[in-house]
Amino acid sequence: MANSMSFLMILSLLAFAPSCFCHKKLGSYLYPQFYDYSCPQAHEIVKSILANAVAKEPRIAASLLRLHFHDCFVKGCDASILLDGSGGIISEKVSNPNRNSARGFEVIDEIKSALEKQCPHTVSCADILAIAARDSTVLAGGPNWEVPLGRRDSLGASLSGSNNNIPAPNNTFQTILTKFKLQGLDIVDLVALSGSHTIGNSRCTSFRQRLYNQTGNGKQDFTLDPYYAAELRANCPRSGGDQNLFFLDYVTPTKFDNNYFKNLLAYKGLLSSDEVLLTKNQESAELVKLYAERNDLFFEQFAKSMIKMGNISPLTGSRGHIRTNCRVVN
């Protein structure tokens, strides 16, 4: 009887416990209610500043989503990407994946400043990135999810990690999948998270080789629709125009939806790293077809994969610290 009573007590305690997203390797945990008492206005402050920023410039939603991704793939979700170079720190902002393309830092600064006024030394820059990524998705018409919180900020950055860990537009399918697996993510996460390319832009320099010399034979990528390629060449010449911008999803460029996957089926994915999801692996190709048909399933999996990605090696407890300015360590 005593045993059954204690079992019932444990069950009732679990029913009221906050949902915990534990990271096995570190024994740490994050949960959505982390700031409920210490900074109850945190979510509203982030959402309000972001809504204004996205209304002024819809592209910023994709930029902030990308910042969270580029942060988490380097030493975990610890806001290392936000650090400027100073005092022995070499900034990740100058790495190949981030130089001339990572953006949205001023919006993060504005959010941090407002949070410091309301709740000093409380909300981490790493958590701001995670909340901003979710809110940006929602503002662009995408899915909503509860963001597990409680990350702390790093005391350093990793330029080599940024150069080596973040998938590149011209990586092979296998290299991209390996980079995801090294972070504890799988092929389903890879396809779903690639769907974030339903919004945002890419530069000519990121896909030029597909237009002129994909395999070294002086010909365009045969997995790229020739009419679409001709349109792209008009603004992406063989040389020059490196920074010219193109929509990642030319159909609904600022709306978060499954048109990205429909584009892949029509061989109109902008980046090689997009199109290989259809052309180089049977399992990922089936997922592309599924998400092209079922927007609801794409949204559901995207939310799950974002939570999983947001839980890569967080600093919790006494590890790391809470920066007062996201660009510098305290």
Side-chain angles (χ1 to χ4, degrees):
M1 181 70 181
N3 280 346
S4 64
M5 279 298 288
S6 59
F7 178 66
L8 285 171
M9 280 175 72
I10 288 167
L11 274 183
S12 64
L13 279 170
L14 284 174
F16 292 101
S19 43
C20 157
F21 296 83
C22 301
H23 197 278
K24 289 174 190 154
K25 187 170 67 172
L26 300 168
S28 59
Y29 62 94
L30 307 172
Y31 54 97
Q33 303 83 0
F34 191 84
Y35 296 112
D36 281 8
Y37 296 103
S38 59
C39 192
Q41 313 90 333
H43 286 280
E44 279 312 311
I45 289 169
V46 177
K47 192 189 292 181
S48 150
I49 292 170
L50 263 186
N52 285 335
V54 172
K56 275 188 213 149
E57 187 198 11
R59 180 187 170 204
I60 206 72
S63 301
L64 292 168
L65 187 50
R66 185 171 183 255
L67 275 187
H68 182 46
F69 169 51
H70 282 209
D71 180 40
C72 291
F73 267 58
V74 183
K75 304 197 303 106
C77 310
D78 60 2
S80 60
I81 193 172
L82 301 178
L83 289 171
D84 288 337
S86 65
I89 290 171
I90 303 173
S91 177
E92 292 170 20
K93 295 175 185 180
V94 299
S95 71
N96 292 327
N98 295 329
R99 192 174 56 249
N100 297 325
S101 67
R103 57 198 298 281
F105 300 108
E106 295 76 14
V107 179
I108 299 298
D109 291 340
E110 191 183 341
I111 292 168
K112 180 60 173 170
S113 174
L115 286 168
E116 283 299 311
K117 281 196 187 89
Q118 188 69 45
C119 325
H121 320 303
T122 303
V123 183
S124 70
C125 301
D127 278 344
I128 291 171
L129 282 174
I131 299 169
R134 187 273 313 273
D135 287 356
S136 293
T137 302
V138 173
L139 285 164
N144 200 349
W145 63 91
E146 273 201 315
V147 182
L149 299 165
R151 301 167 192 79
R152 287 162 68 84
D153 300 324
S154 73
L155 297 164
S158 174
L159 181 64
S160 62
S162 188
N163 276 324
N164 297 322
N165 299 357
I166 296 169
N170 55 351
N171 279 161
T172 64
F173 175 84
Q174 199 49 55
T175 298
I176 296 166
L177 182 59
T178 299
K179 287 180 177 182
F180 269 73
K181 284 184 171 173
L182 286 171
Q183 304 296 342
L185 302 171
D186 59 27
I187 195 165
V188 178
D189 301 313
L190 164 57
V191 179
L193 292 172
S194 295
S196 62
H197 284 179
T198 174
I199 55 174
N201 301 61
S202 186
R203 298 172 299 151
C204 165
T205 186
S206 299
F207 61 87
R208 175 184 280 123
Q209 84 284 352
R210 297 192 75 201
L211 303 179
Y212 301 104
N213 193 20
Q214 177 66 2
T215 55
N217 62 359
K219 294 183 178 167
Q220 74 165 60
D221 186 344
F222 71 91
T223 67
L224 181 62
D225 176 85
Y227 297 104
Y228 183 45
E231 279 178 40
L232 295 172
R233 277 195 290 269
N235 272 318
C236 185
R238 277 180 191 273
S239 62
D242 284 9
Q243 308 302 320
N244 292 354
L245 292 174
F246 296 77
F247 294 129
L248 284 159
D249 165 11
Y250 74 98
V251 181
T252 50
T254 58
K255 186 170 190 293
F256 198 103
D257 57 24
N258 66 338
N259 270 320
Y260 165 82
F261 297 104
K262 294 176 183 176
N263 296 342
L264 297 188
L265 294 179
Y267 299 101
K268 291 179 179 179
L270 185 63
L271 306 178
S272 174
S273 55
D274 295 322
E275 201 59 57
V276 293
L277 299 178
L278 178 70
T279 59
K280 296 295 184 188
N281 181 279
Q282 188 59 43
E283 193 180 344
S284 68
E286 291 307 317
L287 288 165
V288 167
K289 290 171 193 165
L290 177 67
Y291 297 151
E293 197 175 307
R294 295 281 305 272
N295 194 59
D296 58 326
L297 293 181
F298 163 47
F299 274 25
E300 187 184 322
Q301 185 57 52
F302 184 80
K304 284 181 187 165
S305 294
M306 282 296 289
I307 291 170
K308 193 170 165 186
M309 182 183 82
N311 200 42
I312 298 170
S313 306
L315 299 171
T316 58
S318 59
R319 298 164 71 243
H321 68 325
I322 309 293
R323 289 182 215 144
T324 50
N325 174 347
C326 291
R327 292 173 181 264
V328 292
V329 295
N330 296 348

